[in-house]
Amino acid sequence: MGRDVSQGAFTREDRVRYRHKVRRCLDVFALMLDDFGFDADRPMTGLEIELNLVDSAAEPAMRNEEILADIADPLFQTELGQFNLELNAEPRLIEGTGFADYEDDLRSSLARADERAARSDAKIVLVGILPTLTEGHLVEDNLSTNERYRVLNDQIVGARGEDIELDIRGVEQLRTHTDSIAPEAACTSLQFHLQVAPDSFADYWNASQAIAGVQVAVGANSPFLYGRQLWAETRIALFEQATDTRPDELKAQGVRPRVWFGERWITSIFDLFEENVRYFPPLLPICEDEDPVEVLHAGGVPQLGELRLHNGTVYRWNRPVYDIMNGRPHLRVENRVLPAGPTVVDMLANAAFYFGLARGLAESDRPIWSQLTFSSAEENFHAAARRGLEAVLHWPQLGDVPVTKLVLDELLPTAAAGLDGFGVTAAQRDRLLGIIEQRCRTGRNGAVWQTETVWAAERHQGMDRAAALHHMVQRYAELQRTNEPVHTWPLP
């Protein structure tokens, strides 16, 4: 939800009016899909990276407001927690040397932000969950001061009507309660945007859903929360639980969660927006002045503000996006499954793998979603989050297969062909997909490096868990700045 909100109390009339406006927007969107000219000539891509701020002792630094003011760059924004920032890369084509341009820009932006953060005794860490976070850090008082986060917290907690339970069982177990959505701030992600034409959106969204588990397994980087080792990508479980508006009774009745994998393959982007309206009550019933019907009939481009705001409060792992740039509407798949980090080059390897594989599968003669059940795709997603590179996934014609074998034998060639379709240079393609290959061959991604480093500190240096986590984060931050891929990082 990337917009400012100042209204905190909503009336019944607000909700009725908003529901009417959302449905009016949905009707207009359907008309636009039939005969409107969407921008899809040269598909742009985008990246969003959520960042953690830590102090010299590797503790979370609750200083995003002063650091953001010092950075003074519109590409950086606040995020949910006071120890978070978000970096939005400039959208670009990935043909030619587009990935190299991303790398130069991201490294330059992060270096500049790190220099500004140092003035506030802080530094930036790119990781899915900051391992030194404790329950005492993730409280309502540490939400960012932007009013939209307070309003969102009040609406989610109010809709639930009781404390939010966190119950994550992995290598170790965590069970606790929270009275706010502050634990969601621990989930720092890497998000990819891929612009697609209306008639191919369903293919790209379905392909993105099918490979979500593979992405998570290869890119896992969130093994610790509140001092416990849980899932390889604990961020998945934490985000699903920390924003759940349903008490137990509604869960038992089959009410859909707001953090949602989905439940079926689609035939149009309209399916997803229609599901949003049908299944999810509004959290932020804020109406715009625009009448989308009048704008459309006058030959303009409707903003569809209510529909977009509502879409922003349904947290699909692959989210549909309607947006307007330079006066032309376009559609995007927003891929939200991956954690931040460990390095810029690691994140770009994840990007190359996603963009290439999504295109390769979306344009294949026999769609993967015609061979894989949707429930299997969802099971793969959660199995991968639990086990990371050790996950065994179900795949058509292969049955149950180790994810590393699936990637090496089947999916890397498909991703390479997809990148060729985008016009990515062979050197960029081979460099970035080579990082994915080496993660699979070495069995080491961010989650593995973190856990092995902590184990070594505990077993060989006699540290307790808290000391081992702080030691690991300090070493992680040093190695991150080398921009060497994580599979090459030394272990103790």
Side-chain angles (χ1 to χ4, degrees):
M1 188 195 69
R3 54 173 291 175
D4 290 339
V5 174
S6 58
Q7 183 172 349
F10 301 106
T11 66
R12 293 179 181 178
E13 290 76 15
D14 291 332
R15 296 184 183 279
V16 170
R17 181 167 177 255
Y18 181 82
R19 183 174 286 109
H20 173 75
K21 282 291 297 287
V22 168
R23 292 187 179 278
R24 193 168 177 84
C25 288
L26 186 64
D27 291 341
V28 169
F29 186 55
L31 293 173
M32 294 178 68
L33 290 173
D34 285 340
D35 58 12
F36 210 90
F38 285 82
D39 186 4
D41 301 333
R42 303 183 72 199
M44 300 288 283
T45 66
L47 302 179
E48 297 178 48
I49 308 169
E50 294 169 353
L51 318 171
N52 291 279
L53 298 168
V54 301
D55 62 19
S56 57
E59 289 281 302
M62 307 295 175
R63 298 165 201 161
N64 67 353
E65 190 169 13
E66 64 183 86
I67 291 170
L68 192 64
D70 203 7
I71 294 172
D73 183 339
L75 295 180
F76 287 87
Q77 301 175 6
T78 57
E79 251 299 327
L80 182 61
Q82 291 183 30
F83 61 94
N84 300 142
L85 292 174
E86 180 177 274
L87 169 59
N88 294 283
E90 291 280 1
R92 68 185 70 238
L93 300 169
I94 56 172
E95 68 182 24
T97 60
F99 281 112
D101 295 338
Y102 263 134
E103 186 170 2
D104 290 344
D105 285 356
L106 290 172
R107 293 190 70 188
S108 175
S109 293
L110 288 168
R112 186 171 64 254
D114 230 358
E115 185 268 327
R116 299 293 194 277
R119 300 177 185 177
S120 300
D121 187 30
K123 57 188 172 184
I124 291 169
V125 175
L126 304 167
V127 65
I129 294 177
L130 182 62
T132 53
L133 285 167
T134 67
E135 291 187 65
H137 294 128
L138 295 175
V139 295
E140 186 174 352
D141 285 347
N142 286 336
L143 294 178
S144 289
T145 57
N146 190 311
E147 186 63 21
R148 75 174 187 255
Y149 300 119
R150 308 284 172 171
V151 174
L152 188 63
N153 176 75
D154 292 346
Q155 294 302 304
I156 289 177
V157 174
R160 185 179 176 91
E162 58 189 49
D163 282 359
I164 297 169
E165 182 180 26
L166 303 180
D167 187 357
I168 306 174
R169 306 177 189 196
V171 176
E172 298 167 350
Q173 181 176 350
L174 172 68
R175 189 167 186 181
T176 188
H177 291 79
T178 176
D179 61 0
S180 76
I181 63 169
E184 183 195 335
C187 303
T188 40
S189 66
L190 168 65
Q191 298 163 23
F192 304 135
H193 291 256
L194 179 58
Q195 184 179 331
V196 295
D199 59 359
S200 61
F201 184 95
D203 292 346
Y204 275 87
W205 188 86
N206 289 340
S208 299
Q209 291 286 101
I211 63 176
V214 178
Q215 285 183 267
V216 168
V218 172
N221 194 30
S222 312
F224 293 102
L225 175 64
Y226 293 168
R228 294 174 176 84
Q229 183 186 346
L230 300 170
W231 293 9
E233 190 49 41
T234 305
R235 192 184 110 265
I236 301 298
L238 178 58
F239 192 47
E240 289 177 342
Q241 295 180 23
T243 54
D244 198 341
T245 58
R246 307 167 302 162
D248 290 343
E249 294 81 1
L250 292 185
K251 293 179 188 178
Q253 293 171 30
V255 172
R256 279 81 173 172
R258 292 195 92 98
V259 178
W260 198 30
F261 189 81
E263 59 192 19
R264 63 186 175 111
W265 305 119
I266 65 169
T267 58
S268 167
I269 187 175
F270 184 82
D271 295 347
L272 301 176
F273 281 99
E274 191 276 332
E275 284 181 344
N276 289 354
V277 175
R278 177 154 41 105
Y279 292 143
F280 299 101
L283 283 180
L284 301 170
I286 301 168
C287 288
E288 309 286 352
D289 293 332
E290 175 190 78
D291 184 333
V293 174
E294 290 184 0
V295 173
L296 185 66
H297 287 167
V301 180
Q303 295 289 324
L304 305 183
E306 293 81 8
L307 190 68
R308 293 162 71 185
L309 177 58
H310 189 53
N311 184 52
T313 64
V314 179
Y315 304 99
R316 296 178 184 271
W317 293 109
N318 285 291
R319 177 188 276 165
V321 176
Y322 166 86
D323 207 351
I324 301 168
M325 184 175 292
N326 300 322
R328 291 191 67 187
H330 68 264
L331 306 177
R332 303 195 303 267
V333 178
E334 181 186 10
N335 179 258
R336 302 159 50 82
V337 306
L338 286 174
T343 64
V344 169
V345 75
D346 278 309
M347 292 188 291
L348 290 174
N350 290 338
F353 187 53
Y354 168 69
F355 290 136
L357 190 53
R359 180 164 184 158
L361 292 177
E363 298 185 358
S364 63
D365 293 334
R366 189 179 178 197
I368 186 68
W369 53 96
S370 71
Q371 309 168 63
L372 182 71
T373 66
F374 196 90
S375 61
S376 291
E378 183 173 14
E379 289 166 7
N380 284 346
F381 179 63
H382 287 100
R386 288 186 180 92
R387 303 281 293 167
L389 284 172
E390 295 183 351
V392 174
L393 307 185
H394 184 79
W395 202 254
Q397 301 177 23
L398 299 177
D400 293 337
V401 57
V403 67
T404 51
K405 178 176 175 58
L406 174 62
V407 171
L408 293 170
D409 294 352
E410 301 285 335
L411 300 184
L412 279 174
T414 302
L419 293 177
D420 290 343
F422 279 114
V424 176
T425 65
Q428 290 292 310
R429 176 199 68 202
D430 294 345
R431 177 192 181 215
L432 296 175
L433 293 186
I435 291 171
I436 303 297
E437 177 185 358
Q438 288 305 309
R439 280 190 216 155
C440 292
R441 295 198 185 281
T442 61
R444 188 183 305 166
N445 57 14
V448 172
W449 186 89
Q450 287 190 54
T451 54
E452 290 189 358
T453 301
V454 168
W455 291 344
E458 290 176 332
R459 294 171 186 174
H460 305 313
Q461 299 181 51
M463 296 184 188
D464 63 17
R465 176 60 60 82
L469 288 171
H470 284 76
H471 164 77
M472 183 269 286
V473 171
Q474 297 278 30
R475 184 66 173 140
Y476 182 106
E478 294 170 3
L479 291 168
Q480 181 179 95
R481 281 152 181 76
T482 68
N483 200 38
E484 294 296 324
V486 71
H487 72 268
T488 68
W489 288 9
L491 289 167

